[in-house]
């Protein structure tokens, strides 16, 4: 219990300390007019208040990641706590803040546009492909996972196909309509349900004196799966997630003041980490590793969510908790498709004020996603994890380049970027979805790849700085 309490305290303190340092390093200008006002179009560029933006950002980035990931990560034991805390403070929250604020400085641009500007034109096309793959997988995963949870609460005659159909209808509306018409209006209610469920589980851990294990670096995975690099892919959204880089630009287009960025981007990542800590702690305290592994094998993370909720909060409270969990993937799936629609529009320079042009882009995306729902969830999740963390690496290097060219402490983004680049390299070399090489060989080749890409990055960064890369969208505003 002491480890759990200290972890929560460290996360909260980080927002007021390291978060403040990251904000000061970036250098906000509160007098600068944000894209929400400068490019206001009533569809995607709509000024909204800090609290509403923060809540939307939290729901956008959360998905099932900070719940399903920590539940599966709990198999490794308390070492998962260490990754959630350190990963979110020094990697995830930095990643979210920099992508959100750099986007805000560049007309609300999405990651492919930012990668093209800061890492070279070729990267724009590479990242566009990565983002499209990631978001279509996210959208699909966040259809099937809430559908499974809803199915557990509904009569047998309500089939999965019917539930999936209703979710798709909502996603289509949320993707096409102006952001303040659906997302801006219903998210406060969804947010209340999310917070009630998460903090309800957390409170019961204290009230019932749950035997939450203390910190240990021992690998407790019952199947003997190694901590490195698997843990850093199993728990992503609760610590570091490239998916967030696709979501932050949505809110950069609705943010009213630059000063609000720390609360919206850094703060909401910390809030997500707290949610991840609660579910990881609940899973470790209520089940031993073997039991948890069997539950995941037979019913998946959704079965664990249902069991934990009922055990901790009873029938009525447990149902409310499950509903709160259902909210998470639905409120990330809708913005995953919305973000993908915006990225494609930016890539092909298609204006989005016209409803029909938004529709032409969106419909093929939903057709593809519906087809992917027929694929096993575990297969989708493996590819999602790899694409997710690869995107996080790119986003961190975009942040590092921005800070380097501005002459500021770029190590706050570069160090976590190097670490995750190494993890991604080893993962794809070692896993069956990649090259299926032995772990020792994967680690050596991964180190060579990481070093080589780092040298290339630094050479390109010096060139960009020498050319005095234009950082902001308005040349007449001092950076």
């Amino acid at each position: 219990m002491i480890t759990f309490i200290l972890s929560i305290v460290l996360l909260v303190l980080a927002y007021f300390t390291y978060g403040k340092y990251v904000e000061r390093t970036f250098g906000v200008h509160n007098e600068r007019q944000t894209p929400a006002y400068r490019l206001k179009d009533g569809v995607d560029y709509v000024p909204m208040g800090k609290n509403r933006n923060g809540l939307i950002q939290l729901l956008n980035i959360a998905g099932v990641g900070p719940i399903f990931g920590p539940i599966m990560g709990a198999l490794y034991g308390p070492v998962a706590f260490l990754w959630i805390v350190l990963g979110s403070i020094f990697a995830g929250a930095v990643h979210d803040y920099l992508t959100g604020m750099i986007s805000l400085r560049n007309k609300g641009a999405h990651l492919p546009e930012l990668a093209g500007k800061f890492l070279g034109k070729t990267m724009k096309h590479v990242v566009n492909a990565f983002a499209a793959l990631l978001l279509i997988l996210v959208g699909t995963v966040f259809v099937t996972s809430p559908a499974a949870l809803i199915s557990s609460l509904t009569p047998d005659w309500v089939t999965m196909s019917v539930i999936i159909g209703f979710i798709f209808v909502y996603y289509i509306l949320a993707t096409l309509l102006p952001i303040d018409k659906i997302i801006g209006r219903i998210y406060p209610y969804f947010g209340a349900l999310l917070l009630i469920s998460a903090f309800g589980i957390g409170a019961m851990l204290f009230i019932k004196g749950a035997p939450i294990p203390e910190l240990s670096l021992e690998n407790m995975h019952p199947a003997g799966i190694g901590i490195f690099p698997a843990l850093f892919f199993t728990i992503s959204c609760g610590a570091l997630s490239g998916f967030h880089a696709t979501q932050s630009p949505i809110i950069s287009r609705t943010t009213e003041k630059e000063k609000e960025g720390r609360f919206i981007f850094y703060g909401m990542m910390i809030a997500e980490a707290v949610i991840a800590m609660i579910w990881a702690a609940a899973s470790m305290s209520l089940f031993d590793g073997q039991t948890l592994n069997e539950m995941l094998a037979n019913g998946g993370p959704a079965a664990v969510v249902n069991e934990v909720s009922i055990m901790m909060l009873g029938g009525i409270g447990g149902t409310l908790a499950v509903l709160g969990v259902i909210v998470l993937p639905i409120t990330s799936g809708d913005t995953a498709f919305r973000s993908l629609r915006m990225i494609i529009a930016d890539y092909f320079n298609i204006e989005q004020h016209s409803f029909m042009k938004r529709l032409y882009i969106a419909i093929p995306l939903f057709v593809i996603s519906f087809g992917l729902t027929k694929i096993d969830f575990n297969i989708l999740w493996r590819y999602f994890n790899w694409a997710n963390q690869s995107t996080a690496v790119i986003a961190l290097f975009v942040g590092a380049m921005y800070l380097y060219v501005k002459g500021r402490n770029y190590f706050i983004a570069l160090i976590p970027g190097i670490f995750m680049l190494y993890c991604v390299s080893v993962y794809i070399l070692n896993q069956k979805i990649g090259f299926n090489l032995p772990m020792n060989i994967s680690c050596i080749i991964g180190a060579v790849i990481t070093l080589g890409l780092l040298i290339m990055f630094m050479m390109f960064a010096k060139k960009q700085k020498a050319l005095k890369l234009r950082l902001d969208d308005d040349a007449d505003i001092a950076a």
Side-chain angles (χ1 to χ4, degrees), residues 148-278:
L149 288 168
I150 293 172
S151 179
S152 68
L153 302 176
T154 54
D156 292 339
W157 59 267
V158 182
T159 64
M160 279 286 287
S161 296
V162 171
I163 297 170
I164 287 173
F166 275 111
I167 293 174
F168 267 121
V169 169
Y170 166 72
Y171 281 0
I172 291 171
L173 293 174
T175 300
L176 297 176
L177 293 178
I179 193 168
D180 60 338
K181 299 304 180 186
I182 290 186
I183 293 174
R185 289 184 179 180
I186 67 174
Y187 269 37
Y189 301 103
F190 282 170
L193 191 58
L194 160 64
L195 295 175
I196 289 171
S197 66
F199 288 111
I201 297 292
M204 292 308 296
L205 290 174
F206 286 100
I207 293 172
K208 293 189 175 184
I212 303 172
E214 303 299 342
L215 180 62
S216 167
L217 298 181
E218 180 185 356
N219 181 9
M220 299 181 181
H221 200 295
I225 298 175
I227 292 174
F228 180 83
L231 177 63
F232 308 108
F233 290 81
T234 303
I235 302 178
S236 54
C237 288
L240 169 66
S241 169
F243 170 64
H244 298 189
T246 69
Q247 300 302 290
S248 294
I250 295 177
I251 303 304
S252 75
R253 298 184 181 197
T254 62
T255 301
E256 295 179 328
K257 296 287 186 181
E258 285 197 0
K259 196 71 175 176
E260 298 171 356
R262 180 164 64 98
F263 173 80
I264 295 170
F265 301 118
Y266 195 98
M268 292 307 103
M269 178 61 227
I270 294 297
E272 185 187 73
V274 172
I275 294 172
M277 283 293 304
I278 289 171

